[in-house]
Amino acid sequence: MGRYVLRRLLQLIPVFFGTTFLIYYLVWAVPGDPFAGKCGERPCPQSYVDFMTEKFNLDKPIIVQYGTYMKNLLQGDFGQTFGGRQISDLISDAYPNTIKLAIVALIIEAVIGLTAGVLTGLRRNGFLDNLVLVSTLFMIALPIFVLGFLLQKWLGVDLGIVKPTVSNPPSFGELLMPGFVLGSASMAYIARLARTSIAENRRSDYVRTAIAKGLPMKRVVGVHLLRNSLIPVVTYLGTDLGALMGGAIVTEGIFNINGIGRQVYRAIVTKEGATVVSIVVILVLVYLLSNLLVDLLYAALDPRIRYE
Amino acid sequence: MSEVVITDPRYASAGKPSGRLLEVEDLRVEFRTRDGVAKVINGVTYHVNAGETLAVLGESGSGKSVTAQAIMGILDTPPGFVTGGKIRFHGDDMLTMSPEQRRRIRGNGIAMVFQDALSALNPVFTVGFQIAEQFRVRQGLSRGDAKKRAIEMLDQVKIPFAKQRVNEYPHQFSGGMRQRVMIAMSLALDPEVLIADEPTTALDVTVQAQIMDLLSELQRERQMGMILITHDLGVVADVADRIAVMYAGRIVEEATVYELYAKPAHPYTIGLLQSIPRLDEKGQELRTIKGLPPNLMRIPSGCPFHPRCPMRVDDICIPNVPPLLQIGPTRASACHFAEDLVNRA
Ligand SMILES: Nc1ncnc2c1ncn2[C@@H]1O[C@H](COP(=O)(O)OP(=O)(O)OP(=O)(O)O)[C@@H](O)[C@H]1O
Ligand code: SF4
Ligand SMILES: [Mg+2]
């Protein structure tokens, strides 16, 4: 087990460098002038351009730029934005908000998705089942911005139940609606995953055995059935954290949340390679680590799986 | 239109305790599927008493397992429904009991050993957990005490190193050992009746005999009533007291082992006995029963066995259903010519 984790951690190294380089390259390759609009209506003075080009190695080959950036990064220095702001400040402002949002979304999708999935899996073809099937279809089909704007307008503006936008930094309460919007597609997916899994396992031999042992139905379902059916759901939830953080850009835009989505967007537009890479590097790490965590979780949940 | 005539005098006092431990009477089960209604059990009547073993024989699909599932209350519903009959335990009809009353009988009144222990055991819990759970939930034992009892149970089914193996998962056991775990689990609450549904079919031939020996030894020690569902006529001769032969969801013959082997009273039983490979007939072609079991959505009129029966008399067998009639103190047959068969020289 320990060796397996070590091997997995070592595998992270090439993946880490590969992905970060690709991102760096992408920002560099996107056409555009980093100085456009920097100096008001006029083009920037040559002295300024020279100074910035020197400071950010803009005239050097991409590989050198990347190398310098990485060298600094590994020493804990994320660098500065063109505007002279420490990127690490920007990250520590934006990241907690996105993490909070993603966690709220994860909790909401787990609680609602699982409850709906378990209930409908146990009792298929009833009213609730049809309701859940239709509403999950809606959630999967509706683009996130449509759902976001609709809820913001109805609940936030028309009914005034919740604040349509959030403060900075947002409280957990304010993040409930954005979290719901962000997690909606996954919630629908989890409901369906849990439903299928429960319905399948319900007919399994070991559930039958549990009933034949004279266990109360509550225990048959709550212990024997649930434990097995949750394996795919839990692993999905694990991989979803990274996806939620990376996918938060639209939700952050709608609800005016100062998160990484907004920062990345701004940085891409202004060709701030260092900023984009810095934010994405952390995201990549979250992805990779949560993937590893899921694999370990999987082994913990299903004793038939052992990693050598 | 009751097809089953009950001639056993003890059935005359319908509803009253008969002194029998477990008795199934005129049980009917159907499966309602998209393709139609399959009448899978069409009036099964059998019983078992403390300390005796009833073997249930019959071709695949004859309804042996479904009858057992109906007794245990683990029928797949839907599509399966019990549509008639009684299942009495200590004289009380379980089919009219509340779900809670029925639940209390499972495990300590009637328990079941399934055919495939690998799928019947929960893959994500240790075998110790799955045995001990019964002591904790049903008898309120503490975790520690329940685990001790679980180890004792593993000892009783002769699993070596029970103390260590109690912490292992089902997939870590060999097929034979896993079936021992299954047996230990079914016996944990000391049931009065044990239903074993083909307990050795999924195993290597080499361990089949060991498991069968273990089962019949435990049955004798504990004086349980045992219903042994099997295809294996050889096993039956060794361990059973009585045999019930099933065909198309009915009992077609019931007799003591000796009677049945010496003089079968139903052409289907004769066919079954002839299909056993015999050492003294090596090289000879195995005789099997001609034809296929009936489609349970369209069971033949009259005697359901008539399309395959070598002794059929068309005028009698095709229009008339032969009831299961008592033809001796300990035997019954559902063939119009049962007496003739028994009285043959
Ligand atoms: N869940 C189910 N849905 C539909 N039909 C079923 C179901 N379970 C059993 N049956 C039908 O009931 C009939 C009897 O099945 P059963 O399992 O009792 O046979 P069996 O005598 O135990 O056979 P085997 O020796 O193969 O175990 C079969 O025709 C089978 O197709
Ligand atoms: S009743 Fe007729 S068809 Fe049926 S088993 Fe007897 S002889 Fe054969
Ligand atoms: Mg069967």
Side-chain angles (χ1 to χ4, degrees):
Chain A
M1 195 64 160
R3 296 187 61 178
Y4 172 77
V5 176
L6 190 69
R7 213 175 66 214
R8 282 293 301 264
L9 286 173
L10 288 177
Q11 283 170 359
L12 293 188
I13 295 172
V15 177
F16 176 77
F17 283 108
T19 45
T20 47
F21 179 75
L22 277 179
I23 296 156
Y24 209 97
Y25 173 78
L26 191 75
V27 176
W28 178 82
V30 170
D33 176 3
F35 301 112
K38 276 273 153 54
C39 312
E41 295 295 303
R42 294 166 294 128
C44 286
Q46 193 54 43
S47 59
Y48 175 74
V49 173
D50 288 347
F51 171 75
M52 293 298 279
T53 307
E54 168 72 25
K55 184 174 172 192
F56 291 96
N57 292 317
L58 296 179
D59 55 345
K60 304 267 169 51
I62 167 90
I63 193 80
V64 176
Q65 290 186 34
Y66 174 75
T68 320
Y69 169 74
M70 266 300 153
K71 208 179 87 202
N72 293 333
L73 181 68
L74 293 179
Q75 290 161 357
D77 179 10
F78 282 97
Q80 290 182 357
T81 63
F82 291 160
R85 205 175 155 209
Q86 287 298 327
I87 295 178
S88 52
D89 287 349
L90 196 139
I91 287 177
S92 59
D93 273 354
Y95 247 103
N97 294 342
T98 300
I99 291 176
K100 257 197 232 169
L101 176 65
I103 287 177
V104 170
L106 205 66
I107 293 173
I108 291 179
E109 72 184 45
V111 172
I112 300 183
L114 257 181
T115 313
V118 170
L119 290 180
T120 55
L122 287 176
R123 201 172 274 255
R124 278 191 300 174
N125 302 322
F127 168 74
L128 187 70
D129 192 22
N130 284 308
L131 182 76
V132 168
L133 279 183
V134 171
S135 54
T136 50
L137 196 63
F138 253 105
M139 286 187 186
I140 291 170
L142 268 189
I144 216 170
F145 68 87
V146 177
L147 183 69
F149 280 126
L150 281 180
L151 285 186
Q152 188 180 41
K153 179 169 156 37
W154 289 340
L155 298 182
V157 179
D158 297 351
L159 296 175
I161 302 173
V162 286
K163 270 172 52 181
T165 56
V166 304
S167 28
N168 187 24
S171 67
F172 270 100
E174 288 172 329
L175 286 176
L176 281 181
M177 183 165 66
F180 179 88
V181 171
L182 177 60
S184 60
S186 296
M187 180 192 309
Y189 184 70
I190 285 173
R192 290 181 166 215
L193 194 64
R195 174 184 183 270
T196 318
S197 175
I198 289 264
E200 229 168 62
N201 286 309
R202 198 179 145 67
R203 304 247 153 190
S204 66
D205 287 351
Y206 62 81
V207 167
R208 193 178 258 195
T209 310
I211 299 172
K213 279 154 81 172
L215 301 175
M217 220 42 212
K218 266 202 315 240
R219 190 177 169 91
V220 173
V221 172
V223 174
H224 288 268
L225 178 56
L226 218 52
R227 173 62 199 275
N228 284 276
S229 310
L230 284 191
I231 295 174
V233 177
V234 170
T235 49
Y236 177 79
L237 278 173
T239 45
D240 206 32
L241 181 66
L244 286 173
M245 288 173 58
I249 178 163
V250 175
T251 313
E252 287 175 358
I254 298 171
F255 297 101
N256 197 27
I257 298 166
N258 176 30
I260 57 164
R262 243 176 39 178
Q263 298 298 347
V264 165
Y265 180 74
R266 193 180 300 158
I268 290 176
V269 172
T270 52
K271 278 186 78 81
E272 298 224 27
T275 309
V276 178
V277 176
S278 301
I279 290 176
V280 178
V281 154
I282 297 179
L283 205 54
V284 167
L285 275 180
V286 171
Y287 265 110
L288 294 178
L289 289 176
S290 66
N291 239 307
L292 173 60
L293 194 74
V294 164
D295 283 348
L296 298 180
L297 204 61
Y298 203 61
L301 288 174
D302 190 338
R304 286 166 296 184
I305 293 167
R306 284 281 167 266
Y307 298 117
E308 301 302 324
Chain B
M1 55 139 259
S2 170
E3 301 163 15
V4 172
V5 174
I6 296 151
T7 51
D8 187 315
R10 275 171 292 193
Y11 283 148
S13 58
K16 279 188 212 149
S18 59
R20 285 171 173 175
L21 184 51
L22 173 69
E23 54 180 344
V24 176
E25 189 188 316
D26 197 21
L27 183 72
R28 279 151 204 282
V29 174
E30 57 186 41
F31 281 88
R32 297 170 193 159
T33 66
R34 229 170 286 165
D35 308 324
V37 175
K39 300 208 181 259
V40 168
I41 305 296
N42 303 293
V44 162
T45 299
Y46 64 49
H47 68 272
V48 67
N49 276 322
E52 72 168 358
T53 298
L54 170 75
V56 179
L57 281 178
E59 281 168 307
S60 190
S62 56
K64 307 180 296 290
S65 299
V66 169
T67 310
Q69 286 159 14
I71 296 173
M72 288 307 298
I74 51 172
L75 207 59
D76 258 340
T77 306
F81 295 89
V82 175
T83 54
K86 294 189 169 67
I87 300 171
R88 291 205 195 86
F89 184 62
H90 286 295
D92 299 323
D93 185 7
M94 296 204 290
L95 295 177
T96 57
M97 286 179 185
S98 70
E100 184 59 18
Q101 278 176 307
R102 274 201 95 169
R103 177 177 78 75
R104 287 175 192 284
I105 293 176
R106 287 185 207 124
N108 59 3
I110 310 172
M112 186 154 174
V113 173
F114 295 89
Q115 176 178 331
D116 181 8
L118 185 58
S119 65
L121 293 168
N122 194 324
V124 304
F125 295 113
T126 63
V127 301
F129 174 91
Q130 297 184 58
I131 299 173
E133 150 180 69
Q134 304 186 84
F135 297 120
R136 291 202 288 130
V137 176
R138 300 292 297 278
Q139 300 179 340
L141 260 56
S142 71
R143 255 167 217 278
D145 290 344
K147 186 160 177 187
K148 268 191 217 122
R149 297 276 287 115
I151 296 171
E152 282 170 31
M153 290 310 303
L154 293 182
D155 265 332
Q156 280 194 33
V157 295
K158 305 192 176 80
I159 292 181
F161 310 110
K163 245 203 174 98
Q164 289 89 52
R165 304 221 71 182
V166 74
N167 295 319
E168 293 183 8
Y169 292 92
H171 71 274
Q172 293 170 290
F173 287 75
S174 68
M177 286 297 150
R178 202 150 46 214
Q179 192 58 297
R180 285 172 195 265
V181 169
M182 179 87 233
I183 294 171
M185 201 167 81
S186 67
L187 295 182
L189 298 177
D190 206 7
E192 294 170 80
V193 176
L194 185 69
I195 304 176
D197 189 351
E198 306 197 33
T200 61
T201 320
L203 303 177
D204 277 350
V205 215
T206 47
V207 292
Q208 286 187 351
Q210 296 167 15
I211 296 293
M212 214 49 244
D213 288 347
L214 174 74
L215 258 181
S216 66
E217 184 187 319
L218 290 165
Q219 182 265 333
R220 246 175 294 122
E221 269 172 23
R222 294 164 172 250
Q223 281 299 295
M224 290 183 298
M226 180 153 87
I227 297 176
L228 176 67
I229 298 172
T230 179
H231 287 281
D232 189 341
L233 281 151
V235 164
V236 170
D238 291 338
V239 304
D241 300 299
R242 284 183 300 116
I243 300 182
V245 181
M246 282 190 75
Y247 187 78
R250 278 167 238 242
I251 304 292
V252 292
E253 174 162 13
E254 200 202 311
T256 63
V257 173
Y258 175 76
E259 287 167 334
L260 192 116
Y261 279 78
K263 238 176 214 166
H266 194 286
Y268 178 64
T269 316
I270 296 173
L272 277 185
L273 290 175
Q274 281 176 346
S275 62
I276 319 177
R278 285 166 57 159
L279 289 175
D280 53 336
E281 287 180 13
K282 230 186 229 158
Q284 247 177 279
E285 204 182 310
L286 204 67
R287 270 170 292 184
T288 52
I289 306 168
K290 278 199 219 78
L292 292 171
N295 177 348
L296 296 172
M297 300 197 188
R298 268 176 287 113
I299 295 176
S301 69
C303 173
F305 186 56
H306 83 246
R308 305 169 71 187
C309 182
M311 288 181 52
R312 176 184 67 221
V313 176
D314 288 3
D315 291 349
I316 297 174
C317 302
I318 297 179
N320 304 307
V321 178
L324 182 66
L325 287 178
Q326 209 75 24
I327 55 166
T330 48
R331 62 185 311 182
S333 164
C335 170
H336 292 302
F337 304 102
E339 304 276 351
D340 299 350
L341 285 171
V342 176
N343 294 332
R344 272 184 320 184

